[in-house]
Amino acid sequence: MPATSRTKHIAVIGAGAVGVCCGLYLRRDGHAVTVIDEQEPGEGASKGNAGIIATNMCLPVATPQVLRRVPWMLLDREAALRIRWRYLPRLLPWLARFVLAARPSAVERIAHELGGLLGLALDSYTLIAEAAGAADLFRRQGWLHVYEDAAAFRAQRHHIELQRRCGVRAEPIEGAALREREPALSPGLPGGYFFPDCAHTVDPHLLVRRLAEAFVRGGGRLVRGRVDGFDLGADGVRALRASADVGAVDTVIIAAGAWSRPLAKSAGFNVPLDTERGYHLMLPRPGIALQGPLICGGLDFGITPMRHGIRLAGTVELAGLDAPPDPNRSLMLYRLARRILPRLSDEGATQWMGFRPSIPDSKPVIGRGRRGGNVHLAFGHGHLGITLAAITGRLVADQVAGRPTPIDLAPFAPDRFGAG
Ligand SMILES: Cc1cc2nc3c(=O)[nH]c(=O)nc-3n(C[C@H](O)[C@H](O)[C@H](O)COP(=O)(O)OP(=O)(O)OC[C@H]3O[C@@H](n4cnc5c(N)ncnc54)[C@H](O)[C@@H]3O)c2cc1C
């Protein structure tokens, strides 16, 4: 579709959940939109994640409690966090900002800011998923958090109070009542919380592919190619330097997930993006059925009933984009999950590793910053990229159109790190 004087030619770099949702929302405004990716849609982090629309997860990853656990976690090979020591020198500036984000005042502020975004997450999906024929891939079954020991369960109360202040609904469940809700759980767990307003997708990869198909059906252009930088003019980016021809562009959206940093840099933004690598183990014949998704506090990975079995997905490995995957990280998920789901079977299990695009303050960068210009950033969603993809697309489209956004974008501005 040729751009009219009112509409623009917009290039979106990246066809993960975030890029495809940006494409769909921009097409709704009638723009001529090209989404370009070096792979097929949804082959990045959006492929193998836990699929939880985690509208309750407003706390940043860095909290005082997490920092206190870090030394112990680094000594335990099966802990939720692992750092590959060779990567540490490159990671230090990111880690320094991560520690700053864990100050109690910062945690409170970030939780309210993320809470505002999360509150719009599900409705933003409904708008595009129904039109895309993807509504059947969502389940609104809430999310159950369980604890293995009573002290961890009690300690969680503090976080729950903060989540409630941010508008999250949480129902405490004690002792035997846990197994009434989820009979597959082992007996004797002390308790947990049920978050009724969470949802999940039974196939995040298929979700992104369906959304991408709808984007193309609706007149969007999907191009296979790698973007290496930009041709800059007086008004900003004029064209992409890419392995495929995209033509002249009026506006560019950088949504290349964990690979976005060099692209943002060549457009003049210095964003502290790194990756928290995560793993999954897909259990096609799990031997049990779950009532809904679970997570176990302390183990820190999701257990999600999906279309093709149960997926164990999560943990954090700080090792950059180039180190090879460590298969033990996937395999340990099964050993750990059996502590709370004793009848779980790993017959036919398959493994995966993906790169979360992570900013140290756990907030994505959305928008174009104070200087204006024709480049908008939409990356850095960390643990929440599936949850926040649709609302990100909606906000980017609002900003491109010059409409007021439903929440203040300043806390998510690309230049909030003082660089640019
Ligand atoms: C184990 C695990 C579990 C998770 N569980 C959840 C969960 O339950 N809920 C949740 O909300 N989130 C979860 N996440 C996080 C979520 O998966 C990510 O935040 C999200 O997928 C990021 O989406 P994205 O579109 O930004 O990036 P990606 O899906 O990684 O897409 C980026 C795309 O950009 C392309 N690209 C990169 N560089 C270039 C270039 N130069 N030129 C062209 N194309 C390029 C890539 O090929 C890729 O397709 C999990 C992540 C992991 C690893």
Side-chain angles (χ1 to χ4, degrees):
M1 182 189 110
T4 68
S5 57
R6 205 175 55 79
T7 61
K8 300 172 172 165
H9 180 206
I10 302 176
V12 179
I13 307 169
V18 175
V20 168
C21 288
C22 288
L24 275 170
Y25 269 103
L26 289 163
R27 270 299 302 148
R28 281 167 62 95
D29 284 342
H31 299 296
V33 187
T34 304
V35 173
I36 177 165
D37 197 306
E38 56 186 333
Q39 306 185 81
E40 291 297 316
E43 292 293 326
S46 301
K47 184 173 189 167
N49 54 74
I52 297 173
I53 311 298
T55 52
N56 61 334
M57 295 297 271
C58 57
L59 266 67
V61 177
T63 61
Q65 287 81 350
V66 165
L67 291 194
R68 272 200 295 277
R69 279 171 58 203
V70 165
W72 302 108
M73 287 201 269
L74 293 179
L75 295 173
D76 177 358
R77 282 189 72 77
E78 295 205 332
L81 170 69
R82 184 167 176 233
I83 298 180
R84 297 238 194 139
W85 296 110
R86 211 174 296 166
Y87 191 63
L88 188 61
R90 283 179 62 189
L91 188 67
L92 279 176
W94 189 94
L95 273 183
R97 289 184 190 271
F98 183 81
V99 171
L100 281 179
R103 285 166 302 160
S105 58
V107 170
E108 179 88 26
R109 175 178 47 75
I110 293 168
H112 281 92
E113 292 164 351
L114 271 178
L117 207 52
L118 289 165
L120 299 168
L122 254 179
D123 285 352
S124 306
Y125 262 123
T126 308
L127 261 172
I128 51 172
E130 276 173 9
D136 62 311
L137 298 176
F138 289 92
R139 302 281 181 280
R140 291 184 181 239
Q141 293 172 328
W143 192 16
L144 182 60
H145 291 217
V146 300
Y147 294 86
E148 278 187 294
D149 72 271
F153 177 43
R154 275 197 306 275
Q156 195 57 22
R157 213 172 296 153
H158 173 73
H159 283 167
I160 295 287
E161 280 161 19
L162 175 50
Q163 284 171 295
R164 287 191 174 133
R165 288 201 291 283
C166 298
V168 172
R169 287 198 300 152
E171 299 165 8
I173 305 177
E174 305 230 0
L178 268 184
R179 292 186 77 211
E180 281 161 32
R181 185 174 284 279
E182 185 50 83
L185 284 170
S186 49
L189 295 172
Y193 289 92
F194 180 66
F195 296 93
D197 299 324
C198 293
H200 69 284
T201 166
V202 290
D203 193 335
H205 188 208
L206 183 59
L207 171 64
V208 179
R209 285 186 302 163
R210 287 236 194 114
L211 294 176
E213 282 161 19
F215 166 73
V216 172
R217 272 199 310 278
R221 191 171 156 235
L222 193 59
V223 170
R224 188 90 181 256
R226 181 185 163 78
V227 181
D228 288 310
F230 305 107
D231 289 334
L232 301 171
D235 303 326
V237 170
R238 276 199 313 225
L240 308 184
R241 268 190 270 125
S243 61
D245 186 18
V246 173
V249 294
D250 303 304
T251 298
V252 173
I253 318 293
I254 301 176
W259 299 270
S260 298
R261 187 173 187 166
L263 292 169
K265 187 144 200 175
S266 56
F269 296 97
N270 196 0
V271 179
L273 176 75
D274 212 294
T275 180
E276 291 172 85
R277 297 147 55 114
Y279 290 82
H280 93 205
L281 195 70
M282 189 70 209
L283 309 177
R285 294 183 284 285
I288 59 169
L290 293 177
Q291 307 306 305
L294 290 172
I295 193 168
C296 179
L299 301 184
D300 294 332
F301 60 86
I303 302 175
T304 314
M306 291 204 170
R307 236 162 41 100
H308 298 301
I310 289 178
R311 179 171 293 172
L312 315 177
T315 78
V316 169
E317 184 183 48
L318 299 172
L321 292 168
D322 300 324
D326 173 359
N328 291 320
R329 297 292 290 171
S330 296
L331 297 175
M332 76 177 197
L333 298 176
Y334 175 65
R335 287 195 295 277
L336 296 170
R338 290 254 298 190
R339 289 185 357 201
I340 59 163
L341 296 169
R343 288 182 290 110
L344 193 64
S345 163
D346 66 348
E347 199 189 318
T350 55
Q351 305 180 23
W352 173 87
M353 190 263 283
F355 299 95
R356 293 186 192 89
S358 297
I359 308 281
D361 63 7
S362 300
K363 293 185 298 179
V365 289
I366 305 174
R368 59 182 177 167
R370 284 184 289 270
R371 291 173 313 182
N374 66 346
V375 177
H376 297 247
L377 308 192
F379 61 80
H381 295 73
H383 295 240
L384 292 171
I386 291 299
T387 306
L388 295 176
I391 178 60
T392 299
R394 185 174 156 193
L395 291 167
V396 165
D398 282 345
Q399 205 182 45
V400 167
R403 286 189 294 266
T405 50
I407 56 161
D408 180 15
L409 278 186
F412 307 98
D415 41 18
R416 66 182 186 265
F417 309 97

